């Protein structure tokens, strides 16, 4: 019985196997298996999470540092003093001009002038004119006015009508006597001028 020829194991026979191995290796490199793709995606997620935590931590450190600086600055810098209103010592609301009018009027006794630099603080006691006589008509308040506030005077200027400045009348207004004035307020609640109400009996 003749022997069957065996498989070809020469140099050409191993070439086919090597080519098959190379082709399989190339496919693995071009398209990674499912397990490798899953592992690669997981590693990417881990890297992104670490980067996010690192950036978030940096932001947190920066926020804490800024907050600490603001607290240190607040502790070092004293708070500015509270600004107290100087126009009134009560809940007085300046009268508003009527429609078509430039000023609103307040009839009042003015007295107790106190000089404070370029301003004069006076006490104002609202009045009501009843048959030529002045009678109290409300709660007293204070006004702080520029020393150059214009004043129309008559008795205060010696009996003759005269336009003077408030600081020219300080010697009269600092005494105990109360002088009747009409105070003119503009639309923003500022005092424009004072007019002596000389026609009223004190």
């Amino acid at each position: 019985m003749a022997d069957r020829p065996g498989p070809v194991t020469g140099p050409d026979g191993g070439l086919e196997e090597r080519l098959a191995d190379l082709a399989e290796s190339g496919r693995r490199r071009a398209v990674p298996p499912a397990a490798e793709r899953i592992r690669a995606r997981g590693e990417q997620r881990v890297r992104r999470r670490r980067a996010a935590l690192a950036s978030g931590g940096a932001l947190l450190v920066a926020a804490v540092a800024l907050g600490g600086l603001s607290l240190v600055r607040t502790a070092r810098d004293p708070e500015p003093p509270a600004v107290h209103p100087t126009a009134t010592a009560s809940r007085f609301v300046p009268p508003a001009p009527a429609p078509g009018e430039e000023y609103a009027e307040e009839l009042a006794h003015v007295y107790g002038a106190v000089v404070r630099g370029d301003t004069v603080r006076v006490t104002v006691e609202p009045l009501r004119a009843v048959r030529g006589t002045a009678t109290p008509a409300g709660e007293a308040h204070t006004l702080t006015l520029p020393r150059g506030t214009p004043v129309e005077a008559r008795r205060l200027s010696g009996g003759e009508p005269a336009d003077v400045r408030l600081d020219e009348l300080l010697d009269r207004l600092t005494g105990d006597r109360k002088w009747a004035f009409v105070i003119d307020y503009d639309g923003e609640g500022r005092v424009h001028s004072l007019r002596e109400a000389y026609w009223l009996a004190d």
Side-chain angles (χ1 to χ4, degrees):
M1 185 172 180
D3 293 334
R4 294 180 180 178
V8 179
T9 58
D12 294 337
L15 179 61
E16 183 177 354
E17 292 180 3
R18 285 197 297 273
L19 290 175
D21 290 341
L22 288 173
E24 181 63 24
S25 173
R27 283 195 299 273
R28 282 200 303 268
R29 292 178 181 175
V31 181
E36 293 182 8
R37 289 199 303 270
I38 292 171
R39 188 180 306 111
R41 290 175 182 171
E43 291 176 354
Q44 289 177 357
R45 285 195 298 270
V46 170
R47 285 195 296 270
R48 286 196 296 267
R49 187 179 303 112
R50 287 176 181 170
L53 289 174
S55 63
L59 291 175
L60 179 60
V61 170
V64 170
L66 289 175
L69 287 176
S70 64
L71 288 175
V72 170
R73 188 177 298 110
T74 302
R76 290 180 180 175
D77 298 339
E79 290 291 330
V83 178
H84 299 287
T86 58
T88 178
S90 65
R91 291 175 289 182
F92 169 73
V93 177
E101 297 292 334
E102 189 174 5
Y103 301 109
E105 298 178 353
E106 179 187 22
L107 179 63
H109 274 142
V110 177
Y111 60 96
V114 177
V115 178
R116 294 185 173 180
D118 293 333
T119 62
V120 178
R121 189 191 69 182
V122 295
T123 301
V124 178
E125 183 181 277
L127 298 173
R128 182 174 59 250
V130 179
R131 299 177 183 176
T133 302
T135 59
E139 181 183 359
H141 58 91
T142 60
L143 290 175
T144 300
L145 307 173
R147 293 181 62 151
T149 301
V151 179
E152 295 180 13
R154 183 163 177 172
R155 284 187 292 180
L156 281 168
S157 60
E160 294 292 331
D163 294 330
V164 297
R165 291 162 38 111
L166 180 60
D167 57 4
E168 297 178 54
L169 304 175
L170 294 179
D171 59 338
R172 304 285 188 91
L173 297 177
T174 53
D176 294 334
R177 184 176 178 182
K178 299 178 181 180
W179 296 86
F181 284 91
V182 176
I183 306 173
D184 296 321
Y185 294 87
D186 64 14
E188 296 183 3
R190 296 172 302 192
V191 174
H192 178 266
S193 60
L194 283 73
R195 292 178 286 127
E196 185 184 355
Y198 58 88
W199 58 89
L200 292 177
D202 295 333

